[in-house]
Amino acid sequence: MKNMRLWFVTITLALGATLVTAGAQSGSPAAQAEQAAPPAQNLRRFSSTPIDVDYQAANLRSVLRILAEIGGINLVIDPSVPPVAPVDLRLTQVPWDQVMDVVLRSAQLTYELDGPVLRVLTRDALTKEKQAETDQKKATRQAAELVTTRVRLNYAAAAEVKKLLETARLISSEGTVDMDERTNILIIRDAAKTIADIQEVIAELDRPEPQVEIEAKILQTNRDTARALGVQWGLNGRVAPDLGNTTGAAFPNRGTVGGRVTQQGPVTQGPNDPRATNVERAGTAVNLPVTGATSALGLSMGAVNGAFGIDVAITALERDGKVKVLSTPRVTTQNNKQAEVTQGFQIPIQTEQNNTVSVTFKDAALKLMVTPQITGASTVIMKIILENGQPDFSRSVNGNPSINTQRAETQVQVADGVMTVIGGILQSTETNSEDRTPGLHSIPLLGWLFKRTNTSNETQELLIFITPRIIR
């Protein structure tokens, strides 16, 4: 019964093939175009004439042969294809090449298309063939004669050239490249043609590079102006029997109104009556002096018997300072090589942790780091890091001074020998302050006796100039 069913399927497919052939021989334009079209080169196009198939426990190899006959293609079945493998499927109006693709994928098979020949084989067999072909090519290359050459480098570093040859894969898989750092020699073993190509590349790399001299000028100016005016004055009035002036009453029979300048600098101003008590002798009514004053004017007046005294001290200060600092670090380096120059000192920073004292050092110096790149237009592209650090002991923390730092980091392109400004900082601080006695400072004309004025202005300016010079 199974043989009869297989015979029926074969007759059906044969009739389908006959119908396809008859359609191709008809005189319709579509049929003529289909007849003129080349055989299918890729089974996944699925562009052939649809057919009906019905397979039940059919032999895989027989099904493949029938489909190849329907499609009019040359078929080779690899021995790796199982000789006995059933096929069960039923399809209606499906292109024959799609039927072939479904059968192959269902049987875990693949194919190779070599011109008009379709070769069917298992995936493992195809993988082994590709691997064997690769091994054969590798063995053929290994069989080629390898030669050894030595290349002495004059300007380039052997380690860098070796790394470049390996990264760029200029050395074949059979070749090797070694180096001797002491003599700066490359030892290359490879095919003669490969070595010739490598030598051309090395000749381009091993050339003298021009050098660049970078000169930096750092101009720092500080200007400080200050003006201050202060006043001190006090008074002392006493009523006491020993002075001959009493209140005329039993109580109070003695009194003091105090508040006077007792000392301005090393000089004691005002009357110093030995009969006065310490409370009567001390005190300042208005104490608004100028700190660090360079000029002072004092006035003291009092009664003969010491019953009344008044003294005034006026202090004034005016300051104008200018500082100009010019630093000119200069460094020469090769093209595309970073250079660094540092001038200054290191500050020890002492820290304590877990009862252990450690000392680290922090730079407070003028530091210039630059990497030049010379272009074909005789210009220089520079990556610049410039830092100027100075210790500031006025802002110390635990005895460690802070570092006042100006820093610039940039990349510029400058013509050979041309100076350019890469950065500048202008900082200006203006301070106006007034200390005064509440209420009394607003008295017309006499209000200045009850206040102190302080005006200061500080300006800091930093300019950084860079000049590259190409040394060929």
Side-chain angles (χ1 to χ4, degrees):
M1 189 67 178
K2 181 184 299 184
N3 293 336
M4 294 180 62
R5 187 180 296 107
L6 179 60
W7 177 81
F8 174 75
V9 171
T10 304
I11 294 298
T12 303
L13 294 177
L15 291 176
T18 304
L19 293 176
V20 171
T21 304
Q25 293 178 352
S26 63
S28 63
Q32 293 178 358
E34 183 177 354
Q35 184 178 4
Q41 299 297 320
N42 190 346
L43 292 179
R44 295 187 181 277
R45 290 182 180 177
F46 307 147
S47 58
S48 61
T49 304
I51 61 173
D52 298 334
V53 294
D54 186 4
Y55 295 119
Q56 183 176 358
N59 184 270
L60 174 63
R61 288 174 173 261
S62 300
V63 171
L64 293 177
R65 293 175 63 86
I66 294 173
L67 292 177
E69 184 177 355
I70 294 175
I73 62 174
N74 299 316
L75 177 67
V76 176
I77 300 178
D78 190 79
S80 61
V81 177
V84 179
V87 176
D88 290 278
L89 61 92
R90 183 178 183 279
L91 301 173
T92 303
Q93 292 298 300
V94 178
W96 76 267
D97 48 1
Q98 186 174 2
V99 176
M100 174 74 80
D101 184 73
V102 170
V103 172
L104 293 178
R105 288 191 288 110
S106 300
Q108 301 294 321
L109 300 178
T110 185
Y111 64 89
E112 270 191 326
L113 198 60
D114 186 6
V117 179
L118 179 68
R119 180 167 170 260
V120 179
L121 70 168
T122 62
R123 296 174 182 174
D124 292 339
L126 180 61
T127 301
K128 292 179 180 179
E129 286 185 4
K130 296 297 184 183
Q131 183 64 37
E133 183 179 354
T134 302
D135 295 341
Q136 180 64 30
K137 291 181 180 179
K138 183 177 180 180
T140 303
R141 289 196 301 267
Q142 291 177 348
E145 183 179 358
L146 300 180
V147 296
T148 302
T149 185
R150 293 174 293 277
V151 181
R152 180 184 294 272
L153 303 177
N154 297 317
Y155 306 101
E160 295 181 0
V161 176
K162 176 180 180 294
K163 182 179 179 181
L164 178 61
L165 295 178
E166 294 173 344
T167 304
R169 298 182 181 179
L170 299 179
I171 302 294
S172 65
S173 58
E174 296 78 25
T176 58
V177 55
D178 294 309
M179 66 171 182
D180 181 22
E181 293 185 357
R182 183 179 62 87
T183 58
N184 205 35
I185 290 179
L186 288 176
I187 303 174
I188 305 173
R189 179 173 176 81
D190 212 323
K193 183 179 182 306
T194 304
I195 288 181
D197 296 337
I198 292 175
Q199 287 177 333
E200 292 182 3
V201 174
I202 293 177
E204 293 291 331
L205 297 176
D206 191 30
R207 291 184 177 182
E209 288 291 328
Q211 299 185 122
V212 181
E213 179 191 43
I214 297 100
E215 179 182 0
K217 290 185 178 181
I218 303 174
L219 180 62
Q220 183 176 1
T221 60
N222 295 337
R223 182 170 182 176
D224 181 17
T225 61
R227 179 177 297 176
L229 180 64
V231 63
Q232 290 176 283
W233 67 270
L235 58 87
N236 192 306
R238 293 189 296 130
V239 177
D242 54 359
L243 295 178
N245 57 342
T246 62
T247 61
F251 180 84
N253 189 16
R254 182 186 184 98
T256 300
V257 176
R260 67 177 181 179
V261 177
T262 59
Q263 186 174 358
Q264 172 63 30
V267 180
T268 301
Q269 298 184 15
N272 188 8
D273 191 350
R275 296 169 296 177
T277 64
N278 292 333
V279 176
E280 296 172 340
R281 191 180 296 122
T284 301
V286 176
N287 187 22
L288 297 174
V290 174
T291 304
T294 57
S295 302
L297 177 63
L299 176 63
S300 178
M301 296 178 292
V304 175
N305 60 357
F308 182 80
I310 183 172
D311 42 14
V312 180
I314 301 175
T315 55
L317 171 67
E318 184 171 355
R319 182 178 68 250
D320 189 359
K322 296 181 180 178
V323 178
K324 179 179 180 181
V325 180
L326 178 62
S327 303
T328 310
R330 182 181 300 176
V331 64
T332 302
T333 182
Q334 287 186 343
N335 187 26
N336 292 315
K337 296 293 184 180
Q338 186 184 51
E340 178 179 344
V341 58
T342 303
Q343 178 185 2
F345 54 91
Q346 292 183 323
I347 299 177
I349 306 297
Q350 180 174 319
T351 57
E352 182 177 354
Q353 186 176 5
N354 297 330
N355 296 326
T356 301
V357 179
S358 59
V359 178
T360 58
F361 292 87
K362 188 173 182 180
D363 291 335
L366 175 62
K367 182 184 297 185
L368 172 64
M369 291 181 291
V370 59
T371 304
Q373 178 184 348
I374 302 174
T375 67
S378 295
T379 60
V380 182
I381 299 175
M382 295 178 292
K383 296 180 180 179
I384 303 170
I385 300 176
L386 194 147
E387 183 175 321
N388 186 21
Q390 298 177 351
D392 188 355
F393 291 92
S394 64
R395 296 180 175 88
S396 299
V397 178
N398 296 330
N400 301 319
S402 61
I403 298 179
N404 185 14
T405 304
Q406 295 89 31
R407 191 172 189 272
E409 181 175 353
T410 183
Q411 178 172 334
V412 295
Q413 181 174 352
V414 185
D416 181 19
V418 177
M419 178 184 292
T420 183
V421 180
I422 67 170
I425 301 173
L426 177 62
Q427 181 178 356
S428 180
T429 303
E430 183 176 351
T431 304
N432 295 314
S433 63
E434 185 176 283
D435 302 320
R436 56 201 182 191
T437 302
L440 299 180
H441 73 279
S442 59
I443 298 176
L445 300 179
L446 298 179
W448 63 272
L449 291 174
F450 300 94
K451 61 184 178 181
R452 174 178 56 193
T453 59
N454 190 346
T455 302
S456 63
N457 190 354
E458 183 178 0
T459 303
Q460 297 180 352
E461 186 173 10
L462 176 68
L463 294 176
I464 303 173
F465 302 87
I466 289 289
T467 305
R469 297 182 181 90
I470 302 176
I471 304 175
R472 301 189 182 277

